[in-house]
Amino acid sequence: MTTAHHLRLIDGMRTRDFPPERVPSGSGVSGPGYHTALLHGEYARGATDETDRLEVRARCLAEHDALLALLTSRWGEPQAVSLWSAQERMLAGEVVAEPWADPVAGCEYLPLWKVEDRWIALVLHLEDGGPGCELRVLVTVIDPP
């Protein structure tokens, strides 16, 4: 998918109604108050050598940076939201509600924009100690934890 396609997807997610219950939605999941979509999801599984895996990661990071720049030019500087305290609460047994559980479990921070009544987040998961990389977008009316 191209960056232009990702922007169209994000725009569609911003205007689409939310379903009353959690359901698969294209390359993601939608539920009460949120939509998610996988934009780049190659954890380098099946890549035959380290060079291939590092190339996959480089493409994912480049797509993240391109989208971050385009969304910033569109909506201004994002809020850089640290998820550290939410991660600590999750480790202590607190349940983090959807759609925030996945980002809290796997990200240190999120670039976050508030556009009209919806939050838009780019969720970048980097595999600990490995070359894996996954880029998602989250659109929600539910405030961050």
Side-chain angles (χ1 to χ4, degrees), residues 121-141:
L122 284 181
V123 181
L124 180 66
H125 289 282
L126 299 174
E127 182 182 351
D128 289 338
C133 184
E134 184 177 273
L135 178 61
R136 293 183 176 274
V137 65
L138 165 64
V139 176
T140 185
V141 293

Side-chain angles (χ1 to χ4, degrees), residues 5 18 24-25 31 41 57 60-61 68 75 79-80 86 92-93 106 123 128 130 136 138 145:
H5 179 267
F18 300 113
S25 174
R57 183 182 180 109
C60 181
L61 291 171
L68 184 61
W75 297 318
Q79 297 176 43
V123 181
D128 289 338
R136 293 183 176 274
L138 165 64

Side-chain angles (χ1 to χ4, degrees), residues 5 7 9-10 13 19 25 33 36 38 44 47-48 62 65 82 103 117 122 128:
H5 179 267
L7 289 174
L9 177 67
I10 292 167
M13 291 169 68
S25 174
T36 67
L38 178 65
T48 56
D65 293 348
S82 171
D117 67 335
L122 284 181
D128 289 338

